[in-house]
């Protein structure tokens, strides 16, 4: 069973905040705290959420106070799922290049939001742009601390591979519009396995 929806919205914000961090996730299971480290800096370095790090370290009585030499457990990176997500991004940018469009920058924070959305659809057994947990896509993105000028979302369920879900989106005019929009500059992709459809997919797009 395969199904998909598309969502498009444009919001103008009075302030545009661009995060100037750019680092690659490290293949590690622990981190040794260095002088000057904060939970946020560790999260950015390994491209995971602060809350996920806190949840993985119940031994920390106060996560806001960490000391050099402490060992911090890092949450699972779910490398197989992230590999599938990166393949979707690759397919999107390959298609955009065919149409003379600039590639979308993969935003790990946006992928994290998309991953939460896919998992929420699986866990709450629904298929909709409006989440009973997080609300609308643009509200969800904003609530996760990401500022933007325009946002869009594609969702799908049931497709068993990156190629299959990408083709489904490209065969639908609304989804295709989001993928080939010259407005967007960044993309996040989230995949979750399990649930009634077995495979849940979310693409989120933003421009700053």
């Amino acid at each position: 069973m395969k199904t998909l929806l598309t969502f498009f919205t444009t919001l103008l914000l009075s302030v545009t905040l661009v995060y100037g961090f750019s680092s690659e996730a490290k293949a590690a299971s622990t981190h040794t705290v260095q002088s000057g480290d904060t939970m946020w800096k560790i999260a950015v370095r390994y491209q995971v959420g602060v809350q996920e790090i806190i949840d993985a370290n119940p031994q920390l009585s106060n996560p806001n106070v960490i000391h050099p030499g402490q060992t911090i457990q890092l949450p699972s990176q779910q490398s197989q799922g992230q590999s599938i997500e990166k393949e979707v991004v690759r397919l999107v940018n390959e298609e955009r290049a065919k149409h003379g469009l600039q590639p979308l920058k993969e935003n790990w924070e946006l992928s994290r939001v998309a991953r939460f959305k896919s998992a929420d659809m699986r866990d709450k057994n629904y298929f909709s742009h409006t989440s009973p947990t997080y609300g609308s896509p643009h509200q969800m993105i904003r609530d996760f601390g990401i500022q933007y000028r325009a946002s869009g979302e594609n969702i799908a369920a049931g497709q068993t591979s990156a190629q299959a879900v990408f083709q489904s989106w490209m065969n639908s005019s609304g989804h295709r519009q989001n993928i080939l929009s010259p407005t967007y500059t960044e993309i996040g992709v989230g995949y979750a396995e399990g649930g009634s459809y077995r495979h849940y997919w979310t693409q989120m797009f933003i421009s700053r």
Side-chain angles (χ1 to χ4, degrees):
M1 179 164 32
K2 299 179 181 179
T3 184
L4 47 86
L5 286 174
T6 186
F7 172 86
F8 176 81
T9 184
T10 299
L11 296 178
L12 296 178
L13 302 180
S14 58
V15 177
T16 299
L17 178 62
V18 178
Y19 295 104
F21 301 102
S22 177
S23 61
E24 296 183 358
K26 312 296 182 183
S29 59
T30 62
H31 171 79
T32 301
V33 177
Q34 306 296 315
S35 178
D37 272 352
T38 64
M39 280 296 192
W40 171 245
K41 288 182 179 180
I42 295 170
V44 170
R45 177 176 178 180
Y46 295 99
Q47 299 187 359
V48 296
V50 171
Q51 188 58 53
E52 287 96 304
I53 295 178
I54 293 173
D55 291 344
N57 291 272
Q59 78 280 7
L60 297 178
S61 57
N62 184 355
N64 294 318
V65 180
I66 55 177
H67 305 283
Q70 277 184 296
T71 298
I72 301 295
Q73 297 294 323
L74 300 174
S76 169
Q77 293 292 308
Q78 299 178 330
S79 58
Q80 182 177 0
Q82 291 187 359
S83 175
I84 293 172
E85 294 163 0
K86 288 182 181 299
E87 176 63 9
V88 173
V89 175
R90 187 192 70 79
L91 291 168
V92 165
N93 283 331
E94 184 179 76
E95 188 67 27
R96 287 175 66 88
K98 294 177 184 177
H99 295 267
L101 296 168
Q102 291 295 312
L104 298 177
K105 177 184 176 182
E106 185 177 4
N107 181 322
W108 72 266
E109 292 178 283
L110 195 59
S111 289
R112 176 174 174 255
V113 179
R115 212 169 287 131
F116 270 94
K117 176 61 178 290
S118 291
D120 191 56
M121 289 193 292
R122 176 197 64 197
D123 297 342
K124 300 293 176 60
N125 195 29
Y126 73 94
F127 184 75
S128 171
H129 288 296
T130 302
S131 162
T133 308
Y134 303 108
S136 69
H138 51 272
Q139 182 65 47
M140 182 179 183
I141 294 170
R142 190 163 52 234
D143 286 348
F144 272 76
I146 299 174
Q147 302 295 317
Y148 59 88
R149 294 180 61 246
S151 69
E153 179 185 81
N154 288 342
I155 59 175
Q159 294 82 359
T160 59
S161 69
Q163 181 64 53
V165 73
F166 176 74
Q167 199 57 56
S168 293
W169 280 327
M170 288 302 295
N171 289 339
S172 167
S173 60
H175 299 84
R176 181 186 176 93
Q177 179 183 351
N178 276 343
I179 289 170
L180 297 180
S181 172
T183 299
Y184 299 129
T185 56
E186 300 177 38
I187 185 174
V189 177
Y191 167 75
E193 188 174 7
S196 57
Y197 286 104
R198 304 304 304 163
H199 306 276
Y200 290 82
W201 307 83
T202 302
Q203 282 181 323
M204 288 181 167
F205 307 87
I206 61 170
S207 63
R208 301 284 189 173

